[in-house]
Amino acid sequence: MLEVQIKINGIPVIVPEGTSILKVARMANIKIPTLCWLKEINEIASCRMCVVEVKGEEELVTSCVTEVREGMEILTHSSQVVESRKSTLRLIMANHEQKCLTCVRNNSCELQKLCHEHGIDDASGCQGREKRYEVDDSAVHMVRDNNKCIMCRRCVAVCREVEGVGVIGVHGKGNDSYIGSPFDMGLGETTCVSCGQCINVCPTGALYEKQEYNAVFSYISDPSKYVVVQTAPAVRAGLGEYFGLPVGTGVEGKMVTALKMLGFDKIFDTNTGADFTIVEEAKELVKRLEEGEKLPLFTSCCPAWIKYCEHYNPEIIDHLSTCKSPHEMLGALIKTYYAENIGIPAKDIVVVSVMPCTAKKFEIKREDENAAGFPDVDIVITTRELGRMIGSAGICFGDLPEGEFDTLFNKSSGAGKIFGASGGVMEAALRTAYEMITQKEAPSLEFQEIRGTKGIKTAEYRVGDQQLKVAVVSGLKNAANILESIKNREAEYHFVEIMACPGGCVNGGGQTRQASDMINFGQIAERRAKILYDMDSKDTLRKSHENPVVTKLYEEFLDEQKAHEYLHTSYVSRGL
Ligand code: FES
């Protein structure tokens, strides 16, 4: 690789040729503010927050798209640069609804932070927008408020380039342009898959999940309700960031203590539900392998992938695993087996799921997710909403002692723990399926080939007398590519894991939102996933089918009919 010598803020550095000034600055530990740039998917240089001064150039240049060249001398924070950024911010604010105090993104808004850092602390020259847009709350999972949109187009890019869905785009021209759906339909009327990745990249409060945590507070204070909460594997890997802890900090124990302080009647672990999912899914895989039918089997725990499939690929619905996702399985068991055991009717039990995901808000409203005749799960709140609940209850999260989940659904295997990472479901299923097929433990319980955040990972494993071909995919654009190769018979697999969010649920659309510098350079998914893999490697119980809670329920309660009735679901073709 060719290198060039440059100076950045007077300091000489040698860097690879062809690198952008923005990236070079980051390598030199200098943060240049950005509002539109997203690595590889939104390099449109429209916001001009990232301008820098380059010696010899008459105009300031946008650092996100300008490459370094030999001898370049760059000033990232000169007075000319700072003045330009201030003007940019004033222009944006002049067209921005200034209701920051009541905004869901107050204190975590990138625009607000930049205004604060640049001293835009009064309204002079920023009167706030005159044109009003109707707020779109037609989707089950989220709200679009264009009055706070700054037209950075990050949401458009992530929807199209990462998820391959493209249900939002720029409408109108110039000052009258805005982000909307085709034919100005409400988002809820489109084929939006509810992944929430657009929320994660939105720098302001223009996009946010439907806030449902107040309903949870109401249930908790209602003495006629028995309120059970469960938390997904990835939540413990992202919640700490809401309280300022570094990315990659596991907070399982503190999270459980906080949930107890909030007043839930029982705190259960969705990881236990994941172990049930694996046992059922491995059984399904083994059966299909024996019968040689409906292969490849596709995983079903990601509701955004399921919705995508129902809209765009209904012809493969038969290939989807019929297993409910882990929190739905656990909800079903809480409202049947557990309800019976504690003598409380299912109608009086409220199951709250804390998820790293916005599509789960859609999933709980699906038909055929109601084992006891009531929804398996009543409310889904995101990691961020749980953060708000904890904050509003005045709980000092960072100082909390480690708590423990309540019996009965408190125990999980390492396999259940890694569900939150891309490849985790596949790896967990392989540990169990290998034993079901061969009656022996797999030579290694760690399937390294399918770990990591690469969008498409493939591997082959010898299982008994069979060569098992598997693929692990994250990001629905990658899913479209692999489906295409399967349909064209260019590739053949027995088992495929698909997650909508890049890197899996650890990077879900409901996780604590990070600012763009971290999104672009922070390797968020890798650092969060490491927490889960570390938990797995330290566990002595690493296979779902050996979880004593799982074996107990299959012995006492889950005969074949009940398992099928309570733990499986069905799908529909939704059309485009
Ligand atoms: Fe470079 Fe927007 S123009 S970040």
Side-chain angles (χ1 to χ4, degrees), residues 22 32-38 42 44-51 62-65 152 154:
L22 182 79
I32 296 175
T34 59
L35 278 172
C36 67
W37 187 73
L38 279 182
N42 200 43
I44 58 172
S46 70
C47 76
R48 294 196 60 81
M49 267 311 288
C50 69
V51 290
T62 44
S63 64
C64 61
V65 292
C152 67
R154 286 183 186 174

Side-chain angles (χ1 to χ4, degrees), residues 133-324:
Y133 291 98
E134 211 172 300
V135 173
D136 178 5
D137 64 354
S138 59
V140 170
H141 67 296
M142 70 175 279
V143 176
R144 166 181 290 286
D145 182 353
N146 273 345
N147 301 299
K148 291 174 181 159
C149 174
I150 61 166
M151 292 300 290
C152 67
R153 296 167 171 81
R154 286 183 186 174
C155 56
V156 176
V158 82
C159 187
R160 190 180 52 216
E161 302 301 329
V162 175
E163 302 302 358
V165 173
V167 289
I168 43 175
V170 179
H171 291 213
K173 289 207 170 79
N175 275 349
D176 290 329
S177 57
Y178 62 97
I179 306 295
S181 303
F183 310 110
D184 280 326
M185 286 190 289
L187 195 62
E189 300 163 62
T190 69
T191 53
C192 166
V193 297
S194 319
C195 69
Q197 283 296 313
C198 55
I199 301 174
N200 275 8
V201 297
C202 177
T204 70
L207 302 174
Y208 54 95
E209 68 272 45
K210 289 251 171 91
Q211 301 288 298
E212 296 179 86
Y213 68 95
N214 275 325
V216 179
F217 274 131
S218 300
Y219 278 125
I220 290 173
S221 58
D222 181 346
S224 70
K225 295 293 179 196
Y226 187 83
V227 190
V228 176
V229 67
Q230 56 166 318
T231 61
V235 174
R236 69 209 74 197
L239 180 63
E241 296 163 34
Y242 191 92
F243 299 97
L245 296 171
V247 176
T249 309
V251 293
E252 180 179 286
K254 288 184 192 303
M255 173 186 75
V256 174
T257 303
L259 290 167
K260 288 196 172 150
M261 290 170 77
L262 285 171
F264 288 100
D265 292 300
K266 286 287 168 201
I267 326 288
F268 288 150
D269 195 352
T270 312
N271 292 6
T272 314
D275 280 332
F276 282 97
T277 303
I278 281 308
V279 170
E280 287 299 310
E281 200 158 64
K283 278 199 252 172
E284 212 174 1
L285 175 65
V286 172
K287 185 163 183 278
R288 292 199 196 186
L289 287 172
E290 280 167 5
E291 293 171 354
E293 280 178 8
K294 297 187 215 161
L295 293 169
L297 172 69
F298 291 94
T299 55
S300 58
C301 15
C302 170
W305 149 242
I306 294 296
K307 192 165 186 280
Y308 176 84
C309 202
E310 290 176 326
H311 281 299
Y312 294 92
N313 297 281
E315 70 283 0
I316 64 159
I317 280 177
D318 267 4
H319 288 248
L320 294 173
S321 161
T322 58
C323 290
K324 286 181 181 174

Side-chain angles (χ1 to χ4, degrees), residues 100-155:
C100 303
L101 268 185
T102 52
C103 179
V104 67
R105 210 42 95 61
N106 189 19
N107 284 330
S108 63
C109 168
E110 291 184 49
L111 177 61
Q112 187 185 48
K113 186 163 184 282
L114 287 173
C115 283
H116 178 70
E117 284 172 359
H118 287 78
I120 313 293
D121 51 7
D122 61 30
S124 56
C126 338
Q127 297 309 314
R129 73 184 311 133
E130 282 167 14
K131 184 165 179 167
R132 299 286 315 161
Y133 291 98
E134 211 172 300
V135 173
D136 178 5
D137 64 354
S138 59
V140 170
H141 67 296
M142 70 175 279
V143 176
R144 166 181 290 286
D145 182 353
N146 273 345
N147 301 299
K148 291 174 181 159
C149 174
I150 61 166
M151 292 300 290
C152 67
R153 296 167 171 81
R154 286 183 186 174
C155 56

Side-chain angles (χ1 to χ4, degrees), residues 430 447-450 459-463 466-468 470:
L430 289 175
F447 295 75
Q448 296 291 346
E449 302 78 6
I450 50 171
E460 289 189 28
Y461 299 106
R462 191 87 205 152
V463 182
Q466 182 156 15
Q467 195 70 1
L468 195 69
V470 303

Side-chain angles (χ1 to χ4, degrees), residues 15 52 66 70 83 119 129 148 162 183 219 232 243 277 286-287 297 388 406 408 430 494-495 526 555:
V15 293
V52 293
T66 306
E70 182 62 38
E83 278 314 308
R129 73 184 311 133
K148 291 174 181 159
V162 175
F183 310 110
Y219 278 125
F243 299 97
T277 303
V286 172
K287 185 163 183 278
L297 172 69
R388 284 192 93 176
D406 293 314
L408 172 72
L430 289 175
H494 297 100
F495 192 22
E526 289 88 337
E555 275 163 29

Side-chain angles (χ1 to χ4, degrees), residues 477-494:
K477 195 169 187 182
N478 291 325
N481 290 338
I482 206 148
L483 286 178
E484 196 60 22
S485 65
I486 293 169
K487 282 180 196 165
N488 295 338
R489 299 187 185 283
E490 292 154 13
E492 193 191 358
Y493 303 103
H494 297 100

